[in-house]
Amino acid sequence: MATASATLSSLSLYTTSRLSVVPTNKFTFSVFPKTPRSLLSTFSLPTSSFIATKVKSSDDIDTTFFDNVNPEEEIPFEPPEVPEGFVPPPSFDDGPIETEDEIAAAYEELYGPGYSGVSVLGNDIYVMDSKVKKETGFGSKVKKEKVRDGFEERVIQVRRVTKVVKGGKQLHFRAIVVVGDKQGQVGVGVGKAKEVIGAVQKSAVNARRNIITVPMTKYLTFPHRADGDYGAAKVMLRPASPGTGVIAGGAVRIVLEMAGVENALGKQIGSKNALNNARATVVAVQKMRQFRDVARDRGIPMEELWK
Protein backbone atom coordinates (compact mmCIF):
# COMPACT_ATOMS: atom_id res chain seq x y z
CA MET A 1 0.00 0.00 0.00
CA ALA A 2 2.89 2.35 0.78
CA THR A 3 4.51 1.50 -2.52
CA ALA A 4 1.31 2.31 -4.43
CA SER A 5 0.93 5.66 -2.69
CA ALA A 6 4.56 6.55 -3.46
CA THR A 7 4.02 5.69 -7.09
CA LEU A 8 0.95 7.91 -7.26
CA SER A 9 2.77 10.79 -5.66
CA SER A 10 5.57 10.52 -8.19
CA LEU A 11 3.12 10.83 -11.10
CA SER A 12 2.73 14.36 -12.49
CA LEU A 13 -0.64 15.66 -13.66
CA TYR A 14 -0.57 18.01 -16.66
CA THR A 15 -2.80 21.08 -16.93
CA THR A 16 -3.85 22.82 -20.19
CA SER A 17 -4.73 26.21 -18.72
CA ARG A 18 -2.31 28.98 -17.86
CA LEU A 19 -4.22 29.86 -14.67
CA SER A 20 -5.07 27.02 -12.32
CA VAL A 21 -6.88 27.54 -9.04
CA VAL A 22 -6.19 24.86 -6.42
CA PRO A 23 -8.19 24.33 -3.23
CA THR A 24 -5.44 25.99 -1.19
CA ASN A 25 -5.39 29.71 -0.46
CA LYS A 26 -2.95 30.37 -3.29
CA PHE A 27 -3.18 31.28 -6.99
CA THR A 28 -0.77 29.30 -9.15
CA PHE A 29 0.35 30.47 -12.59
CA SER A 30 1.88 28.11 -15.13
CA VAL A 31 4.82 29.58 -17.01
CA PHE A 32 4.73 27.00 -19.78
CA PRO A 33 1.73 25.07 -21.07
CA LYS A 34 1.37 21.51 -19.77
CA THR A 35 3.70 22.15 -16.79
CA PRO A 36 3.72 19.42 -14.17
CA ARG A 37 1.73 20.26 -11.04
CA SER A 38 4.80 19.49 -8.94
CA LEU A 39 6.58 22.45 -10.52
CA LEU A 40 3.67 24.86 -10.16
CA SER A 41 4.33 25.30 -6.47
CA THR A 42 7.53 27.16 -7.27
CA PHE A 43 5.59 29.84 -9.21
CA SER A 44 2.67 30.17 -6.83
CA LEU A 45 1.72 33.55 -5.40
CA PRO A 46 -0.31 34.27 -2.27
CA THR A 47 -3.90 35.33 -2.69
CA SER A 48 -3.33 38.68 -0.99
CA SER A 49 -0.88 39.76 -3.72
CA PHE A 50 -3.44 39.15 -6.43
CA ILE A 51 -6.33 41.01 -4.81
CA ALA A 52 -5.03 44.37 -6.07
CA THR A 53 -5.49 43.30 -9.68
CA LYS A 54 -9.10 42.28 -9.26
CA VAL A 55 -11.69 44.58 -10.84
CA LYS A 56 -14.15 46.20 -8.50
CA SER A 57 -17.67 44.99 -8.84
CA SER A 58 -20.61 47.26 -9.58
CA ASP A 59 -21.61 47.20 -5.91
CA ASP A 60 -18.37 48.91 -4.89
CA ILE A 61 -18.97 52.03 -7.12
CA ASP A 62 -20.24 55.10 -5.29
CA THR A 63 -23.38 56.42 -7.05
CA THR A 64 -24.67 58.73 -4.36
CA PHE A 65 -23.86 61.79 -6.51
CA PHE A 66 -26.60 60.96 -9.01
CA ASP A 67 -29.33 60.61 -6.37
CA ASN A 68 -29.91 64.37 -6.20
CA VAL A 69 -29.44 65.12 -9.94
CA ASN A 70 -32.40 65.40 -12.30
CA PRO A 71 -31.30 64.24 -15.81
CA GLU A 72 -33.99 66.37 -17.50
CA GLU A 73 -33.00 69.57 -15.74
CA GLU A 74 -30.97 72.14 -17.70
CA ILE A 75 -27.89 73.06 -15.70
CA PRO A 76 -26.42 76.46 -16.72
CA PHE A 77 -22.75 76.51 -17.52
CA GLU A 78 -20.72 78.77 -15.26
CA PRO A 79 -17.20 79.28 -16.60
CA PRO A 80 -14.42 79.85 -14.10
CA GLU A 81 -13.38 83.39 -13.35
CA VAL A 82 -10.46 84.90 -15.27
CA PRO A 83 -7.40 85.16 -13.03
CA GLU A 84 -5.86 88.52 -12.24
CA GLY A 85 -3.33 89.82 -14.75
CA PHE A 86 -4.43 87.41 -17.51
CA VAL A 87 -3.56 88.66 -20.99
CA PRO A 88 -5.34 86.85 -23.84
CA PRO A 89 -3.03 85.58 -26.61
CA PRO A 90 -3.14 87.44 -29.92
CA SER A 91 -5.27 86.09 -32.72
CA PHE A 92 -3.69 84.12 -35.53
CA ASP A 93 -4.68 86.75 -38.07
CA ASP A 94 -3.39 89.62 -35.93
CA GLY A 95 0.17 88.32 -35.86
CA PRO A 96 2.87 89.61 -38.18
CA ILE A 97 2.94 88.11 -41.65
CA GLU A 98 5.91 85.82 -42.17
CA THR A 99 8.22 86.58 -45.04
CA GLU A 100 9.09 84.05 -47.71
CA ASP A 101 12.61 83.69 -46.30
CA GLU A 102 11.26 82.88 -42.83
CA ILE A 103 8.91 80.26 -44.26
CA ALA A 104 11.74 78.67 -46.24
CA ALA A 105 13.99 78.68 -43.14
CA ALA A 106 11.26 77.00 -41.09
CA TYR A 107 10.86 74.24 -43.69
CA GLU A 108 14.61 73.69 -43.78
CA GLU A 109 14.68 73.49 -39.99
CA LEU A 110 11.96 70.83 -40.01
CA TYR A 111 13.02 68.73 -42.98
CA GLY A 112 16.70 69.58 -43.21
CA PRO A 113 18.73 71.17 -45.99
CA GLY A 114 18.37 68.12 -48.23
CA TYR A 115 15.77 69.86 -50.38
CA SER A 116 18.31 72.20 -51.95
CA GLY A 117 21.65 71.34 -53.46
CA VAL A 118 23.01 69.66 -56.55
CA SER A 119 21.10 66.91 -58.30
CA VAL A 120 22.54 63.67 -59.61
CA LEU A 121 22.92 65.17 -63.06
CA GLY A 122 24.86 68.12 -61.65
CA ASN A 123 22.08 70.69 -62.00
CA ASP A 124 21.46 73.14 -59.18
CA ILE A 125 18.05 72.60 -57.61
CA TYR A 126 16.33 74.76 -55.01
CA VAL A 127 13.10 73.01 -54.18
CA MET A 128 12.68 74.76 -50.85
CA ASP A 129 13.51 78.19 -52.21
CA SER A 130 10.19 80.01 -51.93
CA LYS A 131 11.31 82.75 -54.33
CA VAL A 132 11.09 80.36 -57.27
CA LYS A 133 7.46 80.54 -58.29
CA LYS A 134 5.93 77.55 -60.01
CA GLU A 135 4.02 78.86 -62.99
CA THR A 136 3.14 75.63 -64.77
CA GLY A 137 2.37 72.08 -63.79
CA PHE A 138 -0.20 70.27 -61.69
CA GLY A 139 -2.17 72.49 -59.38
CA SER A 140 -1.13 75.79 -60.96
CA LYS A 141 -3.89 78.18 -61.95
CA VAL A 142 -2.78 80.45 -64.75
CA LYS A 143 -5.20 83.33 -65.10
CA LYS A 144 -5.63 84.48 -68.67
CA GLU A 145 -6.82 88.03 -68.97
CA LYS A 146 -9.63 88.65 -71.40
CA VAL A 147 -8.54 90.43 -74.57
CA ARG A 148 -9.91 93.97 -74.66
CA ASP A 149 -9.82 94.86 -78.33
CA GLY A 150 -13.41 96.03 -78.74
CA PHE A 151 -14.69 92.73 -80.13
CA GLU A 152 -17.56 90.81 -78.57
CA GLU A 153 -17.74 87.04 -78.63
CA ARG A 154 -20.81 84.90 -79.27
CA VAL A 155 -20.78 81.09 -79.16
CA ILE A 156 -22.82 79.52 -81.93
CA GLN A 157 -22.37 75.86 -81.12
CA VAL A 158 -20.43 73.48 -78.86
CA ARG A 159 -20.32 69.83 -79.88
CA ARG A 160 -18.59 66.72 -78.65
CA VAL A 161 -16.40 65.09 -81.25
CA THR A 162 -14.72 61.70 -80.97
CA LYS A 163 -11.49 60.56 -82.56
CA VAL A 164 -10.92 56.81 -82.87
CA VAL A 165 -7.30 55.85 -82.23
CA LYS A 166 -5.49 52.60 -81.58
CA GLY A 167 -6.07 52.71 -77.82
CA GLY A 168 -9.78 53.62 -78.06
CA LYS A 169 -11.75 56.83 -78.47
CA GLN A 170 -10.58 60.33 -77.59
CA LEU A 171 -13.31 62.79 -76.60
CA HIS A 172 -12.88 66.47 -77.50
CA PHE A 173 -15.10 69.52 -77.80
CA ARG A 174 -15.54 71.70 -80.89
CA ALA A 175 -16.74 75.26 -80.49
CA ILE A 176 -17.88 77.76 -83.14
CA VAL A 177 -17.51 81.40 -82.11
CA VAL A 178 -18.36 84.65 -83.91
CA VAL A 179 -16.55 87.83 -82.92
CA GLY A 180 -17.50 91.34 -83.99
CA ASP A 181 -17.45 94.98 -82.94
CA LYS A 182 -20.98 95.71 -84.28
CA GLN A 183 -19.49 98.40 -86.49
CA GLY A 184 -18.90 96.39 -89.66
CA GLN A 185 -16.15 94.00 -88.45
CA VAL A 186 -16.99 90.30 -87.99
CA GLY A 187 -15.17 86.98 -88.02
CA VAL A 188 -16.04 83.27 -87.70
CA GLY A 189 -13.71 80.80 -86.01
CA VAL A 190 -13.68 77.18 -84.91
CA GLY A 191 -11.49 75.40 -82.36
CA LYS A 192 -11.16 72.03 -80.63
CA ALA A 193 -9.86 71.13 -77.17
CA LYS A 194 -10.32 68.59 -74.40
CA GLU A 195 -12.32 71.15 -72.39
CA VAL A 196 -15.09 73.52 -73.42
CA ILE A 197 -13.29 76.63 -72.13
CA GLY A 198 -10.15 75.79 -74.09
CA ALA A 199 -12.18 75.16 -77.25
CA VAL A 200 -13.95 78.52 -76.95
CA GLN A 201 -10.65 80.33 -76.43
CA LYS A 202 -9.08 78.67 -79.46
CA SER A 203 -12.07 79.42 -81.68
CA ALA A 204 -12.10 83.07 -80.54
CA VAL A 205 -8.44 83.42 -81.51
CA ASN A 206 -9.16 81.78 -84.86
CA ALA A 207 -12.11 84.12 -85.46
CA ARG A 208 -9.96 87.21 -84.82
CA ARG A 209 -7.58 86.01 -87.55
CA ASN A 210 -10.43 85.93 -90.09
CA ILE A 211 -11.96 89.39 -89.62
CA ILE A 212 -13.79 90.82 -92.62
CA THR A 213 -15.51 94.15 -93.27
CA VAL A 214 -19.25 94.13 -93.94
CA PRO A 215 -20.39 96.87 -96.39
CA MET A 216 -23.42 98.76 -95.02
CA THR A 217 -25.42 101.86 -95.87
CA LYS A 218 -26.38 104.65 -93.49
CA TYR A 219 -29.56 102.70 -92.68
CA LEU A 220 -27.43 99.80 -91.39
CA THR A 221 -28.45 97.42 -94.16
CA PHE A 222 -26.80 95.83 -97.18
CA PRO A 223 -26.21 97.85 -100.35
CA HIS A 224 -27.60 95.09 -102.60
CA ARG A 225 -28.52 91.43 -102.74
CA ALA A 226 -25.99 88.64 -102.44
CA ASP A 227 -25.93 84.86 -102.28
CA GLY A 228 -23.18 82.70 -100.82
CA ASP A 229 -22.54 79.01 -100.50
CA TYR A 230 -20.05 76.96 -98.52
CA GLY A 231 -20.14 73.23 -98.95
CA ALA A 232 -23.76 72.11 -99.07
CA ALA A 233 -25.03 75.25 -97.31
CA LYS A 234 -26.42 78.19 -99.25
CA VAL A 235 -27.37 81.55 -97.79
CA MET A 236 -29.45 84.32 -99.37
CA LEU A 237 -29.08 87.92 -98.06
CA ARG A 238 -31.37 90.80 -98.96
CA PRO A 239 -31.42 94.48 -97.83
CA ALA A 240 -34.43 95.75 -95.88
CA SER A 241 -36.03 99.10 -95.08
CA PRO A 242 -35.39 100.83 -91.74
CA GLY A 243 -37.33 99.31 -88.87
CA THR A 244 -37.45 95.83 -90.35
CA GLY A 245 -34.83 94.29 -88.07
CA VAL A 246 -32.77 91.20 -88.73
CA ILE A 247 -35.11 88.53 -90.04
CA ALA A 248 -32.93 85.45 -90.12
CA GLY A 249 -32.27 82.36 -88.04
CA GLY A 250 -29.47 80.17 -86.83
CA ALA A 251 -25.89 81.11 -87.52
CA VAL A 252 -26.87 83.72 -90.12
CA ARG A 253 -28.63 85.86 -87.52
CA ILE A 254 -25.70 85.75 -85.09
CA VAL A 255 -23.20 86.74 -87.79
CA LEU A 256 -25.32 89.68 -88.93
CA GLU A 257 -25.95 90.92 -85.39
CA MET A 258 -22.26 90.79 -84.47
CA ALA A 259 -21.47 92.73 -87.65
CA GLY A 260 -23.85 95.52 -86.64
CA VAL A 261 -26.52 94.95 -89.29
CA GLU A 262 -29.93 96.06 -87.99
CA ASN A 263 -32.15 95.74 -91.09
CA ALA A 264 -31.70 92.70 -93.33
CA LEU A 265 -33.34 89.53 -94.57
CA GLY A 266 -31.54 86.20 -94.48
CA LYS A 267 -32.48 82.70 -95.55
CA GLN A 268 -30.71 79.37 -95.18
CA ILE A 269 -31.11 77.11 -98.20
CA GLY A 270 -29.83 73.56 -98.13
CA SER A 271 -27.78 72.26 -95.24
CA LYS A 272 -28.53 73.22 -91.64
CA ASN A 273 -24.90 72.89 -90.55
CA ALA A 274 -24.10 75.83 -88.27
CA LEU A 275 -20.46 76.18 -89.30
CA ASN A 276 -21.17 75.96 -93.04
CA ASN A 277 -24.02 78.47 -92.80
CA ALA A 278 -21.86 80.93 -90.88
CA ARG A 279 -19.10 80.68 -93.45
CA ALA A 280 -21.62 80.90 -96.29
CA THR A 281 -22.83 84.18 -94.77
CA VAL A 282 -19.26 85.46 -94.78
CA VAL A 283 -18.88 84.46 -98.43
CA ALA A 284 -22.10 86.30 -99.36
CA VAL A 285 -20.98 89.42 -97.49
CA GLN A 286 -17.61 89.42 -99.26
CA LYS A 287 -19.38 89.56 -102.62
CA MET A 288 -21.04 92.88 -101.74
CA ARG A 289 -19.55 96.18 -102.87
CA GLN A 290 -20.23 99.78 -101.90
CA PHE A 291 -21.62 102.27 -104.43
CA ARG A 292 -18.55 104.48 -104.22
CA ASP A 293 -16.28 101.51 -105.02
CA VAL A 294 -18.29 100.63 -108.13
CA ALA A 295 -18.35 104.28 -109.29
CA ARG A 296 -14.59 104.60 -108.79
CA ASP A 297 -13.93 101.42 -110.77
CA ARG A 298 -16.13 102.61 -113.65
CA GLY A 299 -14.74 106.12 -113.54
CA ILE A 300 -18.09 107.84 -113.24
CA PRO A 301 -19.70 109.86 -110.42
CA MET A 302 -22.06 108.14 -108.01
CA GLU A 303 -25.05 110.10 -109.38
CA GLU A 304 -24.67 108.29 -112.71
CA LEU A 305 -25.33 104.93 -111.03
CA TRP A 306 -28.91 105.92 -110.18
CA LYS A 307 -29.90 106.88 -113.74
Side-chain angles (χ1 to χ4, degrees):
M1 187 68 182
T3 307
S5 60
T7 306
L8 289 173
S9 62
S10 63
L11 292 176
S12 59
L13 301 176
Y14 294 93
T15 178
T16 58
S17 62
R18 291 183 178 271
L19 176 62
S20 61
V21 181
V22 293
T24 60
N25 293 331
K26 293 183 180 182
F27 284 95
T28 57
F29 298 89
S30 61
V31 180
F32 303 101
K34 297 184 180 180
T35 306
R37 187 179 296 275
S38 60
L39 297 177
L40 291 176
S41 60
T42 59
F43 304 102
S44 61
L45 295 173
T47 309
S48 59
S49 63
F50 190 71
I51 292 176
T53 61
K54 293 174 66 178
V55 181
K56 290 185 178 181
S57 62
S58 60
D59 299 336
D60 300 338
I61 301 175
D62 185 13
T63 59
T64 57
F65 173 77
F66 299 98
D67 296 341
N68 301 326
V69 176
N70 185 9
E72 297 181 357
E73 183 182 358
E74 295 183 0
I75 302 176
F77 174 71
E78 297 180 359
E81 296 181 359
V82 180
E84 253 183 70
F86 175 75
V87 179
S91 176
F92 179 79
D93 298 329
D94 296 341
I97 301 176
E98 297 179 343
T99 61
E100 296 181 353
D101 296 336
E102 292 177 352
I103 297 173
Y107 271 100
E108 290 185 1
E109 184 178 355
L110 289 174
Y111 303 106
Y115 282 80
S116 60
V118 181
S119 65
V120 180
L121 300 177
N123 300 327
D124 294 334
I125 54 174
Y126 300 96
V127 180
M128 295 306 299
D129 190 358
S130 58
K131 293 182 180 179
V132 178
K133 294 184 179 179
K134 188 177 180 182
E135 297 180 356
T136 58
F138 179 77
S140 63
K141 297 181 180 180
V142 181
K143 295 183 178 180
K144 295 185 178 179
E145 296 182 359
K146 191 174 181 180
V147 182
R148 300 182 180 274
D149 53 359
F151 287 95
E152 298 181 11
E153 301 177 3
R154 183 84 65 85
V155 179
I156 294 180
Q157 187 186 67
V158 177
R159 293 182 60 184
R160 292 185 300 175
V161 294
T162 305
K163 180 181 180 182
V164 181
V165 295
K166 183 178 180 181
K169 295 182 179 180
Q170 291 181 353
L171 179 64
H172 290 74
F173 293 93
R174 187 193 73 171
I176 305 172
V177 175
V178 177
V179 299
D181 58 355
K182 296 185 178 181
Q183 294 180 1
Q185 303 287 328
V186 69
V188 179
V190 62
K192 298 179 183 178
K194 293 184 178 180
E195 297 180 358
V196 177
I197 298 176
V200 172
Q201 291 176 352
K202 284 185 178 180
S203 55
V205 173
N206 181 255
R208 284 179 169 84
R209 295 175 180 173
N210 302 315
I211 297 293
I212 64 168
T213 302
V214 179
M216 290 186 295
T217 64
K218 63 179 181 179
Y219 301 110
L220 299 179
T221 186
F222 299 127
H224 57 84
R225 298 184 176 186
D227 299 333
D229 57 342
Y230 190 92
K234 296 182 180 180
V235 172
M236 177 182 64
L237 299 180
R238 299 289 185 267
S241 58
T244 304
V246 178
I247 302 177
V252 179
R253 181 185 185 88
I254 297 177
V255 173
L256 297 182
E257 287 180 351
M258 297 303 292
V261 179
E262 295 184 0
N263 304 296
L265 305 176
K267 178 68 177 177
Q268 297 179 3
I269 303 173
S271 176
K272 301 297 181 181
N273 187 282
L275 179 60
N276 287 350
N277 279 296
R279 290 180 172 173
T281 306
V282 173
V283 172
V285 168
Q286 288 178 327
K287 292 181 179 179
M288 298 181 183
R289 302 177 66 187
Q290 292 281 20
F291 292 107
R292 57 178 177 272
D293 298 334
V294 176
R296 184 177 60 252
D297 293 341
R298 295 184 182 182
I300 56 176
M302 290 182 59
E303 291 77 7
E304 294 292 331
L305 294 175
W306 304 102
K307 292 183 179 180

